[in-house]
Amino acid sequence: MVHSWYCSFHRFEQRRRNGSSLISFSVCLLRVYRNTTDSDLPAPQVSERRDPHPSRMQMPQGNPLLLSYTLQELLARDTVQVELIPEKKGLFLKHVEYEVSSQRFRSSVYRRYNDFVVFHEMLLQKFPYRMVPALPPKRVLGADREFIEARRRALRRFINLVARHPPFSEDVALRLFLSFSGPDVQNKLKESAQCVGDEFMSCKLAPRAKDFLPADIQTQFAVSRELIRNIYNSFHKLRDRAERIASRAIDNAADLLIFGKELSALGSDTTPLPSWATLHSSTWGSLKQALKGLSVEFALLADKAAQQGKQEENDVVEKLNLFLDLLQSYKDLCERHEKGVLHKHQRALHKYSLMKRQMMSATVQSREPDSVEQLESRIVEQENAIQTMELRGYFSLYCLHQEMQLVHVYLPLTSHILGAFVNSQIQGHKEMSKVWNDLKPKLNCLFAGPSGSPTPPRLPQDGVSPR
């Protein structure tokens, strides 16, 4: 179809060499369209992108696509603590505030959940092609202590992932959020983003992102996305099992504590003995004295079990959640890439195709020059928009490639998690074993036989009473 249009307009051009320039424009447009597919539009040269600071256009040595960070270097960038401070009563509802402390900036500021929301929006606005971790959900009514604590932990994971992310860590928004102690940090964050484009507009490598991408970048992207999906599913199951293990340790602590209290209550019973049991009053008295003293050891056992459960929550479950948050942010980034950049590009190409058809129809039908000129202008604007979208598409793939490398930098965290889990189990069982061994001699008086020597009774086996 395009070829036939091209031949027709070419004949019109030969007949009307001294006529309207629109015919020549249409022939050139069709020639470009015939030689260029929708997926291979010409990209502007680097010189077409003006930068007021030529020094920023100097390219770094080596391949900027490759990251050279280690996990230790990322973790050393900053450690941010998020702690609850006492609730304040608002006009209608209570609101929770957090003390956010940064080692890097040596700062301690107070933040509310809505401050985190505005900061998160600024990150998405300035870094749409990077892994921006999600925030925990907001819950207005019925926020119990468990929910508040879970959200505090999630906010701490969020801010630490952001503070250790290479591009985020150098952005003014992070510095403001972690160190600004003024009365309205939200307006300050919004002001910092005014008249500032996203990373594509400010990055000197954006116009040449395609030059650094491997030829099979689309294949690599598909494989990486599938890999992250599989890793996420496995780590999600690991986190669930680790949560159950830690929860069982805490439940075990509660059971041991109650067990010891019941023994103590039994030993402290002051109910008088009936007359028919007076012959054994000395035995019951010694048993009560022994049972009463066991509550101390069981309380110590409960404390050890609780410590083990808390340690596994902090060192195992929380680190698994941190890694899951990172993996989820990569999955979200992939969706933004497909639903955002690629979808907008396809829509722009479709619109461009329709406009070209309108141009051809208007030229053939010899419409008013003004309307045709307006259509020309719109086509040129659409071409520029498509070229910009193509550059953004390549820059998005460039960032995706880097973010995937960042995920792999975090992978050694797995060994830290497993090491913490094994050490917790070893230390917990070792300490509890010591308490159990210390408890055993105190039971001797419970097993004292007629001769006074400790002889633990033999229990019936298989339902058969001993002879």
Side-chain angles (χ1 to χ4, degrees):
M1 181 178 64
V2 174
H3 179 70
S4 63
W5 287 347
Y6 173 80
C7 295
S8 299
F9 277 103
H10 189 68
R11 286 194 295 271
F12 276 123
E13 184 187 35
Q14 290 176 342
R15 295 175 185 176
R16 300 178 57 183
R17 294 180 184 273
N18 298 325
S20 174
S21 62
L22 291 176
I23 299 295
S24 299
F25 172 79
S26 299
V27 171
C28 294
L29 186 63
L30 288 169
R31 184 182 293 115
V32 171
Y33 183 69
R34 187 180 67 170
N35 296 327
T36 307
T37 62
D38 286 347
S39 60
D40 189 25
L41 293 173
Q45 300 297 319
V46 179
S47 58
E48 293 178 22
R49 185 180 178 88
R50 303 298 180 186
D51 194 305
H53 303 287
S55 60
R56 294 184 62 193
M57 298 302 295
Q58 296 177 0
M59 306 303 293
Q61 299 294 328
N63 188 350
L65 183 65
L66 303 179
L67 298 180
S68 58
Y69 300 103
T70 64
L71 178 60
Q72 288 71 23
E73 291 172 344
L74 288 182
L75 298 179
R77 282 177 173 262
D78 199 358
T79 297
V80 185
Q81 298 296 334
V82 178
E83 301 296 340
L84 285 168
I85 60 175
E87 294 182 352
K88 295 183 179 180
K89 293 184 178 180
L91 184 60
F92 298 103
L93 299 171
K94 295 180 180 180
H95 62 263
V96 178
E97 279 192 325
Y98 305 92
E99 183 178 6
V100 182
S101 305
S102 167
Q103 288 186 359
R104 174 187 175 190
F105 297 107
R106 299 180 180 177
S107 59
S108 181
V109 293
Y110 295 126
R111 295 288 180 258
R112 294 180 59 184
Y113 177 81
N114 288 338
D115 299 331
F116 281 90
V117 172
V118 173
F119 177 56
H120 183 262
E121 292 173 353
M122 295 300 101
L123 288 177
L124 283 174
Q125 177 182 327
K126 299 176 77 172
F127 300 97
Y129 310 119
R130 299 289 183 179
M131 294 187 299
V132 179
L135 285 176
K138 184 176 184 178
R139 186 174 175 181
V140 178
L141 299 175
D144 53 16
R145 291 184 178 181
E146 184 177 356
F147 172 82
I148 293 174
E149 172 60 18
R151 189 171 67 176
R152 182 195 69 82
R153 289 174 176 265
L155 291 174
R156 183 178 63 184
R157 297 194 303 269
F158 162 80
I159 194 62
N160 275 284
L161 285 174
V162 170
R164 293 162 180 171
H165 191 285
F168 300 164
S169 64
E170 303 303 325
D171 190 72
V172 63
L174 178 69
R175 180 180 293 273
L176 284 172
F177 186 81
L178 292 179
S179 61
F180 179 72
S181 57
D184 195 350
V185 67
Q186 295 184 21
N187 285 335
K188 196 71 175 178
L189 288 169
K190 294 176 182 178
E191 290 174 2
S192 69
Q194 290 179 353
C195 302
V196 178
D198 60 14
E199 186 184 11
F200 172 79
M201 300 299 296
S202 60
C203 180
K204 56 191 175 184
L205 298 175
R208 292 192 57 192
K210 182 180 179 181
D211 298 339
F212 303 105
L213 295 173
D216 61 341
I217 182 61
Q218 294 292 352
T219 302
Q220 290 193 25
F221 168 63
V223 173
S224 298
R225 190 174 186 181
E226 182 65 21
L227 174 63
I228 293 301
R229 184 184 294 111
N230 295 336
I231 294 177
Y232 178 88
N233 292 336
S234 295
F235 271 85
H236 195 278
K237 294 176 182 178
L238 288 173
R239 193 277 313 275
D240 289 347
R241 296 301 102 180
E243 278 186 337
R244 293 185 62 178
I245 292 172
S247 178
R248 281 200 297 269
I250 295 174
D251 291 343
N252 185 36
D255 291 338
L256 286 169
L257 187 62
I258 294 175
F259 194 93
K261 287 182 178 179
E262 291 301 324
L263 289 177
S264 179
L266 186 62
S268 302
D269 184 72
T270 57
T271 304
L273 288 174
S275 58
W276 54 266
T278 54
L279 295 177
H280 303 285
S281 59
S282 59
T283 303
W284 176 235
S286 60
L287 284 174
K288 287 203 306 180
Q289 188 65 28
L291 293 174
K292 185 177 180 179
L294 296 179
S295 62
V296 176
E297 280 72 19
F298 277 93
L300 185 57
L301 286 169
D303 183 63
K304 297 296 183 183
Q307 288 181 11
Q308 181 179 347
K310 293 295 183 181
Q311 184 177 357
E312 289 172 356
E313 280 186 346
N314 295 327
D315 297 343
V316 181
V317 176
E318 194 63 14
K319 286 185 173 64
L320 285 169
N321 279 325
L322 178 75
F323 193 54
L324 283 173
D325 289 349
L326 181 73
L327 296 174
Q328 182 62 53
S329 66
Y330 183 84
K331 294 172 63 179
D332 295 341
L333 177 60
C334 292
E335 291 187 7
R336 288 203 302 272
H337 173 75
E338 288 190 339
K339 296 181 179 179
V341 178
L342 297 184
H343 182 65
K344 290 180 181 178
H345 190 195
Q346 293 300 322
R347 289 177 58 187
L349 289 173
H350 179 68
K351 182 179 179 181
Y352 183 50
S353 177
L354 294 177
M355 293 171 66
K356 286 192 292 185
R357 293 177 185 177
Q358 293 176 6
M359 180 65 187
M360 297 168 196
S361 176
T363 306
V364 172
Q365 297 175 10
S366 300
R367 293 183 181 177
E368 293 294 329
D370 291 342
S371 63
V372 177
E373 287 179 2
Q374 291 177 0
L375 191 56
E376 286 182 21
S377 176
R378 289 172 56 195
I379 289 176
V380 172
E381 291 178 358
Q382 191 66 12
E383 285 179 334
N384 293 334
I386 290 174
Q387 291 173 352
T388 302
M389 288 180 187
E390 282 194 331
L391 288 178
R392 282 186 174 273
Y394 287 125
F395 184 68
S396 179
L397 287 170
Y398 172 91
C399 293
L400 273 166
H401 200 291
Q402 284 195 330
E403 299 301 276
M404 183 61 180
Q405 295 179 65
L406 197 60
V407 171
H408 280 271
V409 173
Y410 271 95
L411 275 176
L413 192 65
T414 307
S415 61
H416 294 245
I417 296 171
L418 293 176
F421 177 65
V422 172
N423 290 336
S424 173
Q425 291 290 320
I426 293 174
Q427 186 67 21
H429 288 295
K430 181 179 179 180
E431 292 181 356
M432 292 191 70
S433 177
K434 183 179 184 303
V435 178
W436 284 117
N437 287 326
D438 292 341
L439 175 61
K440 187 176 180 180
K442 297 182 179 182
L443 303 179
N444 288 340
C445 61
L446 300 177
F447 306 140
S451 61
S453 59
T455 57
R458 296 175 59 187
L459 297 179
Q461 296 179 358
D462 300 328
V464 179
S465 300
R467 294 180 180 178

